[in-house]
Protein backbone atom coordinates (compact mmCIF):
# COMPACT_ATOMS: atom_id res chain seq x y z
CA UNK A 1 0.00 0.00 0.00
CA UNK A 2 2.83 2.40 0.84
CA UNK A 3 4.59 1.53 -2.42
CA UNK A 4 1.37 2.29 -4.26
CA UNK A 5 0.87 5.68 -2.62
CA UNK A 6 4.52 6.53 -3.29
CA UNK A 7 3.91 6.00 -7.01
CA UNK A 8 6.36 3.11 -7.17
CA UNK A 9 4.11 1.01 -9.39
CA UNK A 10 4.19 3.65 -12.13
CA UNK A 11 6.10 2.71 -15.27
CA UNK A 12 8.68 5.44 -14.73
CA UNK A 13 9.53 4.14 -11.25
CA UNK A 14 9.76 0.53 -12.46
CA UNK A 15 11.98 1.35 -15.43
CA UNK A 16 14.31 3.55 -13.34
CA UNK A 17 14.66 1.57 -10.10
CA UNK A 18 17.85 3.29 -8.94
CA UNK A 19 16.02 6.61 -8.63
CA UNK A 20 13.35 4.91 -6.51
CA UNK A 21 15.69 3.23 -4.00
CA UNK A 22 15.21 5.90 -1.31
CA UNK A 23 11.41 5.71 -1.59
CA UNK A 24 11.50 1.90 -1.39
CA UNK A 25 13.70 2.00 1.73
CA UNK A 26 11.39 4.56 3.38
CA UNK A 27 8.34 2.38 2.64
CA UNK A 28 9.99 -0.70 4.18
CA UNK A 29 11.22 1.19 7.25
CA UNK A 30 7.73 2.63 7.78
CA UNK A 31 6.19 -0.82 7.45
CA UNK A 32 8.65 -2.31 9.94
CA UNK A 33 7.97 0.45 12.47
CA UNK A 34 4.24 -0.12 12.08
CA UNK A 35 4.65 -3.87 12.67
CA UNK A 36 6.82 -3.23 15.72
CA UNK A 37 4.23 -0.83 17.14
CA UNK A 38 1.47 -3.37 16.52
CA UNK A 39 3.48 -6.15 18.18
CA UNK A 40 4.22 -3.92 21.17
CA UNK A 41 0.60 -2.81 21.59
CA UNK A 42 -0.58 -6.45 21.40
CA UNK A 43 2.11 -7.45 23.91
CA UNK A 44 3.53 -10.13 21.61
CA UNK A 45 6.85 -8.44 20.77
CA UNK A 46 8.72 -10.81 23.11
CA UNK A 47 7.60 -13.75 20.97
CA UNK A 48 9.65 -12.61 18.00
CA UNK A 49 13.40 -12.69 17.52
CA UNK A 50 14.85 -9.21 16.98
CA UNK A 51 17.53 -10.72 14.75
CA UNK A 52 14.92 -12.51 12.65
CA UNK A 53 12.79 -9.35 12.26
CA UNK A 54 15.81 -7.25 11.31
CA UNK A 55 17.01 -9.83 8.80
CA UNK A 56 13.50 -10.15 7.37
CA UNK A 57 13.12 -6.39 6.92
CA UNK A 58 16.57 -5.88 5.40
CA UNK A 59 16.33 -8.98 3.22
CA UNK A 60 12.86 -8.22 1.87
CA UNK A 61 13.87 -4.62 1.08
CA UNK A 62 17.06 -5.72 -0.67
CA UNK A 63 15.28 -8.44 -2.65
CA UNK A 64 12.59 -5.99 -3.73
CA UNK A 65 15.25 -3.64 -5.10
CA UNK A 66 16.99 -6.54 -6.88
CA UNK A 67 13.67 -7.72 -8.30
CA UNK A 68 12.94 -4.25 -9.64
CA UNK A 69 16.36 -4.07 -11.25
CA UNK A 70 15.70 -7.37 -13.01
CA UNK A 71 12.17 -6.28 -13.94
CA UNK A 72 13.47 -3.09 -15.56
CA UNK A 73 15.92 -5.11 -17.66
CA UNK A 74 13.28 -7.65 -18.72
CA UNK A 75 10.63 -5.04 -19.51
CA UNK A 76 13.15 -2.97 -21.44
CA UNK A 77 14.12 -5.99 -23.50
CA UNK A 78 10.46 -6.86 -24.19
CA UNK A 79 9.82 -3.25 -25.18
CA UNK A 80 12.73 -3.36 -27.65
CA UNK A 81 11.20 -6.53 -29.12
CA UNK A 82 7.83 -4.68 -29.30
CA UNK A 83 6.16 -7.32 -27.14
CA UNK A 84 5.12 -4.55 -24.76
CA UNK A 85 4.26 -1.52 -26.88
CA UNK A 86 1.60 1.13 -27.40
CA UNK A 87 0.42 1.68 -30.98
CA UNK A 88 0.31 5.40 -31.68
CA UNK A 89 -0.87 7.57 -34.57
CA UNK A 90 -0.34 11.30 -35.03
CA UNK A 91 -2.89 13.71 -36.47
CA UNK A 92 -1.53 16.82 -38.19
CA UNK A 93 0.73 17.98 -40.98
CA UNK A 94 1.95 21.38 -39.77
CA UNK A 95 5.00 22.54 -37.88
CA UNK A 96 3.65 21.16 -34.61
CA UNK A 97 3.50 17.65 -36.09
CA UNK A 98 6.95 18.03 -37.65
CA UNK A 99 8.51 19.02 -34.32
CA UNK A 100 6.65 16.23 -32.52
CA UNK A 101 7.90 13.59 -34.94
CA UNK A 102 11.42 14.99 -34.75
CA UNK A 103 11.27 14.78 -30.95
CA UNK A 104 9.98 11.18 -31.07
CA UNK A 105 12.73 10.18 -33.50
CA UNK A 106 15.35 11.78 -31.27
CA UNK A 107 14.14 10.49 -27.89
CA UNK A 108 12.94 7.12 -29.22
CA UNK A 109 10.48 6.19 -26.44
CA UNK A 110 10.83 2.46 -25.81
CA UNK A 111 7.17 1.70 -25.22
CA UNK A 112 5.54 3.21 -28.30
CA UNK A 113 5.26 2.10 -31.92
CA UNK A 114 4.35 4.97 -34.24
CA UNK A 115 2.05 3.51 -36.90
CA UNK A 116 1.82 6.63 -39.05
CA UNK A 117 0.33 10.07 -39.63
CA UNK A 118 -3.09 11.39 -40.62
CA UNK A 119 -3.18 14.75 -42.41
CA UNK A 120 -5.95 17.33 -42.50
CA UNK A 121 -6.29 17.39 -46.30
CA UNK A 122 -5.42 14.79 -48.98
CA UNK A 123 -3.00 17.18 -50.70
CA UNK A 124 -0.99 17.91 -47.55
CA UNK A 125 2.51 16.59 -47.04
CA UNK A 126 4.41 16.61 -43.80
CA UNK A 127 8.01 17.59 -43.33
CA UNK A 128 10.39 15.47 -41.29
CA UNK A 129 8.14 12.38 -41.50
CA UNK A 130 11.39 10.36 -41.41
CA UNK A 131 10.00 7.15 -42.78
CA UNK A 132 6.65 7.23 -40.96
CA UNK A 133 3.86 6.52 -43.46
CA UNK A 134 0.98 8.91 -44.16
CA UNK A 135 -2.05 6.69 -43.50
CA UNK A 136 -4.75 9.03 -44.78
CA UNK A 137 -6.76 12.05 -43.74
CA UNK A 138 -8.67 12.83 -40.57
CA UNK A 139 -11.83 11.44 -42.18
CA UNK A 140 -10.21 8.01 -42.51
CA UNK A 141 -8.85 7.97 -38.94
CA UNK A 142 -11.92 6.43 -37.27
CA UNK A 143 -12.30 3.59 -39.82
CA UNK A 144 -8.57 2.87 -39.55
CA UNK A 145 -8.76 2.70 -35.73
CA UNK A 146 -11.65 0.25 -35.98
CA UNK A 147 -9.72 -2.10 -38.27
CA UNK A 148 -6.33 -1.88 -36.56
CA UNK A 149 -5.07 -1.82 -33.03
CA UNK A 150 -4.62 1.82 -32.05
CA UNK A 151 -3.95 2.62 -28.39
CA UNK A 152 -3.07 6.34 -28.45
CA UNK A 153 -3.90 9.21 -30.78
CA UNK A 154 -1.86 12.41 -30.58
CA UNK A 155 -3.51 15.50 -32.09
CA UNK A 156 -0.62 17.68 -33.28
CA UNK A 157 -2.59 20.69 -34.53
CA UNK A 158 -1.99 24.36 -33.63
CA UNK A 159 -3.84 25.28 -30.44
CA UNK A 160 -5.46 28.20 -32.24
CA UNK A 161 -7.55 25.64 -34.17
CA UNK A 162 -9.61 25.02 -31.04
CA UNK A 163 -12.91 24.34 -32.84
CA UNK A 164 -11.32 21.80 -35.17
CA UNK A 165 -9.57 20.08 -32.24
CA UNK A 166 -12.78 19.96 -30.17
CA UNK A 167 -14.74 18.53 -33.11
CA UNK A 168 -12.08 15.86 -33.70
CA UNK A 169 -12.05 14.85 -30.02
CA UNK A 170 -15.83 14.49 -30.06
CA UNK A 171 -15.55 12.27 -33.13
CA UNK A 172 -12.98 10.08 -31.40
CA UNK A 173 -15.13 9.52 -28.31
CA UNK A 174 -16.63 6.44 -29.91
CA UNK A 175 -13.25 4.71 -30.02
CA UNK A 176 -11.61 2.83 -27.10
CA UNK A 177 -8.41 4.89 -27.35
CA UNK A 178 -6.48 7.48 -25.38
CA UNK A 179 -6.43 10.89 -27.05
CA UNK A 180 -3.65 13.39 -26.32
CA UNK A 181 -3.21 16.98 -27.40
CA UNK A 182 0.32 17.52 -28.64
CA UNK A 183 2.17 20.61 -27.59
CA UNK A 184 1.91 23.89 -29.43
CA UNK A 185 5.18 25.34 -30.71
CA UNK A 186 6.08 26.97 -27.39
CA UNK A 187 5.94 23.55 -25.73
CA UNK A 188 9.00 22.45 -27.68
CA UNK A 189 10.94 25.35 -26.18
CA UNK A 190 9.58 25.16 -22.61
CA UNK A 191 8.82 22.04 -20.52
CA UNK A 192 5.11 21.58 -19.75
CA UNK A 193 4.11 19.93 -16.46
CA UNK A 194 0.89 19.41 -14.53
CA UNK A 195 0.03 22.38 -12.31
CA UNK A 196 0.20 22.05 -8.50
CA UNK A 197 -2.94 21.22 -6.56
CA UNK A 198 -3.55 24.77 -5.30
CA UNK A 199 -4.73 25.77 -8.81
CA UNK A 200 -7.57 23.26 -8.57
CA UNK A 201 -9.19 22.71 -11.98
CA UNK A 202 -7.73 25.87 -13.54
CA UNK A 203 -6.54 24.94 -17.07
CA UNK A 204 -2.88 25.91 -16.77
CA UNK A 205 0.39 24.05 -17.29
CA UNK A 206 3.62 24.55 -15.41
CA UNK A 207 6.73 25.52 -17.38
CA UNK A 208 9.07 26.16 -14.43
CA UNK A 209 9.06 25.09 -10.81
CA UNK A 210 11.09 25.87 -7.72
CA UNK A 211 14.27 23.80 -7.43
CA UNK A 212 13.54 23.28 -3.74
CA UNK A 213 9.97 23.05 -2.52
CA UNK A 214 7.97 21.23 0.13
CA UNK A 215 9.93 18.61 2.05
CA UNK A 216 12.92 19.21 -0.20
CA UNK A 217 13.61 22.44 1.69
CA UNK A 218 13.58 20.54 4.99
CA UNK A 219 15.82 17.76 3.67
CA UNK A 220 18.34 20.20 2.24
CA UNK A 221 18.43 22.35 5.41
CA UNK A 222 18.77 19.29 7.65
CA UNK A 223 21.73 18.02 5.65
CA UNK A 224 23.38 21.46 5.47
CA UNK A 225 23.08 22.57 9.07
CA UNK A 226 23.42 19.13 10.65
CA UNK A 227 26.49 18.03 8.71
CA UNK A 228 28.09 21.51 8.72
CA UNK A 229 27.77 21.75 12.50
CA UNK A 230 29.20 18.25 12.99
CA UNK A 231 32.12 18.95 10.63
CA UNK A 232 32.85 22.31 12.27
CA UNK A 233 33.09 20.73 15.72
CA UNK A 234 35.12 17.75 14.47
CA UNK A 235 37.53 19.83 12.36
CA UNK A 236 37.98 22.73 14.78
CA UNK A 237 41.41 21.48 16.03
CA UNK A 238 42.59 21.11 12.42
CA UNK A 239 41.36 24.60 11.55
CA UNK A 240 43.24 26.03 14.55
CA UNK A 241 46.45 24.33 13.34
CA UNK A 242 45.93 25.73 9.83
CA UNK A 243 45.39 29.22 11.26
CA UNK A 244 48.66 28.99 13.23
CA UNK A 245 50.55 27.76 10.14
CA UNK A 246 49.25 30.66 8.04
CA UNK A 247 50.25 33.19 10.72
CA UNK A 248 53.77 31.76 10.95
CA UNK A 249 54.24 31.46 7.18
CA UNK A 250 53.40 34.99 5.97
CA UNK A 251 52.09 38.34 7.06
CA UNK A 252 48.44 39.22 6.66
CA UNK A 253 45.02 38.08 7.88
CA UNK A 254 44.30 34.41 8.45
CA UNK A 255 40.97 34.50 6.64
CA UNK A 256 40.33 35.71 3.12
CA UNK A 257 36.99 37.52 2.63
CA UNK A 258 35.52 38.35 -0.76
CA UNK A 259 32.17 39.50 -2.06
CA UNK A 260 30.28 36.92 -4.10
CA UNK A 261 26.80 36.69 -5.62
CA UNK A 262 24.68 34.08 -3.88
CA UNK A 263 21.06 33.00 -3.73
CA UNK A 264 18.86 35.19 -6.02
CA UNK A 265 21.93 37.35 -6.70
CA UNK A 266 22.29 38.56 -3.10
CA UNK A 267 25.82 39.67 -2.30
CA UNK A 268 27.53 37.93 0.63
CA UNK A 269 31.08 37.52 1.93
CA UNK A 270 32.70 34.15 1.34
CA UNK A 271 35.34 32.92 3.82
CA UNK A 272 38.50 30.99 3.02
CA UNK A 273 41.87 30.47 4.62
CA UNK A 274 44.31 32.92 3.02
CA UNK A 275 46.64 31.08 0.64
CA UNK A 276 48.34 34.02 -1.12
CA UNK A 277 50.67 36.79 -0.08
CA UNK A 278 48.67 39.68 1.24
CA UNK A 279 48.59 42.73 -1.05
CA UNK A 280 46.00 45.43 -1.63
CA UNK A 281 44.01 44.69 -4.80
CA UNK A 282 41.78 47.09 -6.73
CA UNK A 283 38.09 46.78 -5.88
CA UNK A 284 36.12 44.84 -8.48
CA UNK A 285 39.11 43.19 -10.12
CA UNK A 286 39.76 39.49 -9.56
CA UNK A 287 42.57 37.41 -11.02
CA UNK A 288 42.11 33.65 -11.02
CA UNK A 289 44.75 31.43 -9.47
CA UNK A 290 46.82 29.57 -12.07
CA UNK A 291 49.10 26.56 -11.93
CA UNK A 292 52.40 27.47 -10.16
CA UNK A 293 50.96 30.90 -9.31
CA UNK A 294 53.80 32.93 -7.68
CA UNK A 295 51.33 34.66 -5.35
CA UNK A 296 50.58 31.40 -3.49
CA UNK A 297 52.51 30.86 -0.24
CA UNK A 298 54.16 27.60 0.82
CA UNK A 299 51.40 26.79 3.29
CA UNK A 300 48.84 28.08 0.82
CA UNK A 301 49.98 25.64 -1.84
CA UNK A 302 49.39 22.72 0.51
CA UNK A 303 46.01 24.10 1.59
CA UNK A 304 44.86 24.53 -2.00
CA UNK A 305 46.11 21.09 -3.00
CA UNK A 306 44.13 19.46 -0.18
CA UNK A 307 41.19 21.94 -0.36
CA UNK A 308 41.67 22.75 3.32
CA UNK A 309 41.45 26.43 2.42
CA UNK A 310 37.70 25.91 1.85
CA UNK A 311 36.98 24.80 5.44
CA UNK A 312 35.91 28.27 6.72
CA UNK A 313 33.00 28.09 4.29
CA UNK A 314 31.35 25.83 6.84
CA UNK A 315 30.67 29.14 8.63
CA UNK A 316 28.93 30.37 5.48
CA UNK A 317 26.73 27.27 5.58
CA UNK A 318 25.90 27.84 9.24
CA UNK A 319 25.02 31.52 8.66
CA UNK A 320 22.72 30.53 5.78
CA UNK A 321 24.55 32.16 2.86
CA UNK A 322 25.86 28.91 1.37
CA UNK A 323 25.00 25.22 1.13
CA UNK A 324 27.26 22.18 1.31
CA UNK A 325 26.38 21.35 -2.30
CA UNK A 326 25.44 23.83 -5.00
CA UNK A 327 26.91 25.92 -7.82
CA UNK A 328 30.27 27.40 -6.79
CA UNK A 329 29.95 31.20 -6.35
CA UNK A 330 32.03 33.35 -8.68
CA UNK A 331 33.67 36.68 -7.89
CA UNK A 332 31.30 39.60 -8.56
CA UNK A 333 33.24 40.92 -11.56
CA UNK A 334 33.45 37.43 -13.10
CA UNK A 335 29.73 37.02 -12.54
CA UNK A 336 28.98 40.18 -14.49
CA UNK A 337 31.27 39.12 -17.36
CA UNK A 338 29.96 35.57 -17.65
CA UNK A 339 26.30 36.60 -17.43
CA UNK A 340 26.77 38.80 -20.49
CA UNK A 341 28.04 36.01 -22.74
CA UNK A 342 26.27 32.86 -21.44
CA UNK A 343 22.54 32.41 -21.86
CA UNK A 344 20.65 31.25 -18.74
CA UNK A 345 23.69 32.02 -16.58
CA UNK A 346 21.60 33.26 -13.65
CA UNK A 347 19.67 29.98 -13.43
CA UNK A 348 22.50 28.84 -11.14
CA UNK A 349 21.42 31.48 -8.60
CA UNK A 350 18.03 29.84 -8.02
CA UNK A 351 19.65 27.85 -5.19
CA UNK A 352 22.28 28.70 -2.61
CA UNK A 353 25.89 28.45 -3.78
CA UNK A 354 27.82 25.46 -2.48
CA UNK A 355 31.19 24.54 -1.05
CA UNK A 356 31.25 21.85 -3.72
CA UNK A 357 29.06 21.19 -6.71
CA UNK A 358 28.08 18.91 -9.58
CA UNK A 359 30.43 20.75 -11.94
CA UNK A 360 33.42 20.36 -9.60
CA UNK A 361 33.04 16.59 -9.19
CA UNK A 362 32.77 16.23 -12.97
CA UNK A 363 36.17 17.78 -13.67
CA UNK A 364 35.26 21.47 -13.94
CA UNK A 365 37.22 22.61 -10.92
CA UNK A 366 39.90 25.27 -10.71
CA UNK A 367 40.92 27.71 -13.42
CA UNK A 368 38.63 28.27 -16.42
CA UNK A 369 40.89 29.19 -19.32
CA UNK A 370 38.35 29.42 -22.14
CA UNK A 371 34.73 30.38 -22.68
CA UNK A 372 33.97 26.72 -23.43
CA UNK A 373 35.27 25.78 -19.96
CA UNK A 374 32.95 28.18 -18.18
CA UNK A 375 30.02 27.19 -20.42
CA UNK A 376 30.54 23.54 -19.51
CA UNK A 377 30.65 24.46 -15.82
CA UNK A 378 27.44 26.47 -16.09
CA UNK A 379 25.69 23.59 -17.92
CA UNK A 380 26.54 21.29 -15.03
CA UNK A 381 25.36 23.89 -12.51
CA UNK A 382 22.02 24.23 -14.32
CA UNK A 383 21.68 20.44 -14.44
CA UNK A 384 22.11 20.35 -10.66
CA UNK A 385 19.52 23.09 -10.11
CA UNK A 386 16.93 21.37 -12.29
CA UNK A 387 17.58 17.82 -11.03
CA UNK A 388 18.29 18.34 -7.33
CA UNK A 389 17.69 15.41 -5.00
CA UNK A 390 18.99 14.27 -1.63
CA UNK A 391 20.74 11.33 -3.30
CA UNK A 392 22.45 13.69 -5.77
CA UNK A 393 23.77 15.80 -2.88
CA UNK A 394 25.13 12.72 -1.11
CA UNK A 395 26.72 11.53 -4.35
CA UNK A 396 28.45 14.90 -4.83
CA UNK A 397 29.72 14.93 -1.24
CA UNK A 398 31.11 11.41 -1.57
CA UNK A 399 32.86 12.17 -4.86
CA UNK A 400 34.21 15.42 -3.38
CA UNK A 401 35.93 13.49 -0.60
CA UNK A 402 37.80 11.35 -3.14
CA UNK A 403 38.72 14.36 -5.28
CA UNK A 404 40.08 16.29 -2.28
CA UNK A 405 42.32 13.35 -1.41
CA UNK A 406 43.67 13.27 -4.97
CA UNK A 407 44.11 17.06 -5.23
CA UNK A 408 42.94 17.05 -8.86
CA UNK A 409 42.73 20.48 -10.55
CA UNK A 410 43.60 22.23 -7.27
CA UNK A 411 46.43 24.72 -7.29
Amino acid sequence: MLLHFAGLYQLEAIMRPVRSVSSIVIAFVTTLLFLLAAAFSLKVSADFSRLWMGAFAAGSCALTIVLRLLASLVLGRLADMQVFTRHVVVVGAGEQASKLLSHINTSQPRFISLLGIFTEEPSQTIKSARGHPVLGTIDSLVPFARRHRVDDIIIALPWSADEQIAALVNKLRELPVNVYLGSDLVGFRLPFRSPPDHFGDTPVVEVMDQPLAGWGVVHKATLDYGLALALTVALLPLMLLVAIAIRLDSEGPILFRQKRYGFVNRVFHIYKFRTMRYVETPEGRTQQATRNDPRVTRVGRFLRRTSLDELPQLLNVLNGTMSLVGPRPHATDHNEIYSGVIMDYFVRHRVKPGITGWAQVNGFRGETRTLEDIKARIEHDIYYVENWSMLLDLKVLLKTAFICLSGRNAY
Side-chain angles (χ1 to χ4, degrees):
M1 186 173 62
L2 290 176
L3 293 175
H4 167 71
F5 285 125
L8 293 172
Y9 291 114
Q10 300 293 327
L11 182 62
E12 177 74 11
I14 294 173
M15 293 306 298
R16 297 188 176 182
V18 175
R19 291 188 177 184
S20 308
V21 167
S22 59
S23 298
I24 294 173
V25 172
I26 290 172
F28 272 90
V29 170
T30 304
T31 303
L32 177 63
L33 293 176
F34 174 80
L35 292 175
L36 290 175
F40 180 79
S41 63
L42 296 173
K43 297 182 179 181
V44 295
S45 58
D47 297 338
F48 298 96
S49 164
R50 290 179 176 84
L51 177 61
W52 183 89
M53 292 190 68
F56 169 74
S60 58
C61 182
L63 287 173
T64 299
I65 294 172
V66 171
L67 177 63
R68 282 177 168 260
L69 287 169
L70 294 174
S72 67
L73 295 175
V74 172
L75 289 176
R77 179 60 177 166
L78 292 175
D80 295 338
M81 297 168 60
Q82 295 192 348
V83 175
F84 289 162
T85 190
R86 303 280 296 182
H87 293 85
V88 180
V89 297
V90 173
V91 179
E95 193 172 354
Q96 286 83 0
S98 296
K99 287 187 176 294
L100 175 65
L101 292 174
S102 177
H103 183 79
I104 290 175
N105 288 334
T106 301
S107 60
Q108 295 183 341
R110 301 178 77 176
F111 287 92
I112 73 168
S113 297
L114 186 55
L115 301 180
I117 304 142
F118 288 87
T119 61
E120 300 166 70
E121 302 292 340
S123 59
Q124 283 182 315
T125 58
I126 181 169
K127 299 177 181 178
S128 304
R130 302 199 179 179
H132 301 300
V134 176
L135 302 174
T137 65
I138 292 178
D139 293 335
S140 59
L141 173 58
V142 173
F144 178 88
R146 287 190 178 129
R147 295 193 309 269
H148 302 83
R149 176 189 164 191
V150 176
D151 299 304
D152 303 314
I153 298 174
I154 303 177
I155 302 175
L157 299 175
W159 287 6
S160 57
D162 55 325
E163 292 186 4
Q164 184 182 9
I165 292 173
L168 178 57
V169 171
N170 285 331
K171 184 186 295 186
L172 297 175
R173 289 183 186 278
E174 61 186 77
L175 298 174
V177 297
N178 296 315
V179 179
Y180 300 94
L181 181 61
S183 173
D184 209 3
L185 293 179
V186 69
F188 294 99
R189 300 175 63 88
L190 299 173
F192 281 7
R193 309 182 185 94
S194 300
D197 293 339
H198 59 260
F199 279 105
D201 296 329
T202 306
V204 297
V205 292
E206 183 181 86
V207 297
M208 187 173 69
D209 59 354
Q210 291 178 311
L212 291 171
W215 284 103
V217 178
V218 178
H219 297 160
K220 181 78 165 172
T222 301
L223 178 65
D224 281 343
Y225 291 110
L227 187 54
L229 181 60
L231 289 174
T232 301
V233 173
L235 298 175
L236 187 59
L238 175 61
M239 288 192 280
L240 290 175
L241 291 176
V242 171
I244 294 172
I246 294 172
R247 176 64 71 188
L248 295 176
D249 183 54
S250 62
E251 295 182 355
I254 294 172
L255 290 180
F256 168 78
R257 296 171 70 250
Q258 188 181 56
K259 288 183 179 179
R260 300 282 175 99
Y261 283 113
F263 180 56
V264 293
N265 275 17
R266 293 173 186 158
V267 177
F268 72 101
H269 283 95
I270 193 172
Y271 301 111
K272 294 185 179 183
F273 281 125
R274 181 176 59 84
T275 58
M276 295 185 178
R277 294 180 179 84
Y278 179 73
V279 293
E280 292 289 342
T281 57
E283 184 71 22
R285 180 181 175 185
T286 307
Q287 181 181 350
Q288 286 186 338
T290 59
R291 192 176 297 276
N292 300 321
D293 197 313
R295 297 173 298 166
V296 178
T297 64
R298 290 174 300 174
V299 171
R301 198 168 302 282
F302 172 77
L303 296 180
R304 298 175 78 90
R305 176 66 62 182
T306 58
S307 297
L308 291 176
D309 60 319
E310 310 284 0
L311 288 180
Q313 287 165 45
L314 291 170
L315 301 177
N316 285 112
V317 176
L318 293 176
N319 68 20
T321 54
M322 289 183 66
S323 176
L324 290 175
V325 181
R328 284 292 296 166
H330 298 146
T332 54
D333 54 327
H334 291 173
N335 226 52
E336 292 162 2
I337 294 171
Y338 297 150
S339 62
V341 295
I342 299 177
M343 185 178 294
D344 298 330
Y345 176 84
F346 285 114
V347 172
R348 66 198 305 272
H349 291 279
R350 296 181 67 206
V351 298
K352 290 180 183 180
I355 297 178
T356 184
W358 182 242
Q360 284 65 44
V361 299
N362 281 280
F364 300 100
R365 181 184 182 215
E367 182 186 9
T368 50
R369 298 184 180 90
T370 66
L371 182 60
E372 286 68 29
D373 289 340
I374 189 62
K375 282 183 177 179
R377 178 181 289 183
I378 301 308
E379 288 175 0
H380 282 75
D381 288 341
I382 293 175
Y383 174 87
Y384 171 81
V385 171
E386 295 179 344
N387 296 276
W388 175 87
S389 70
M390 195 71 164
L391 284 177
L392 182 58
D393 270 8
L394 294 174
K395 180 179 180 180
V396 171
L397 290 172
L398 186 61
K399 294 184 72 172
T400 298
F402 286 107
I403 291 173
C404 288
L405 293 175
S406 67
R408 187 176 60 186
N409 288 350
Y411 36 83

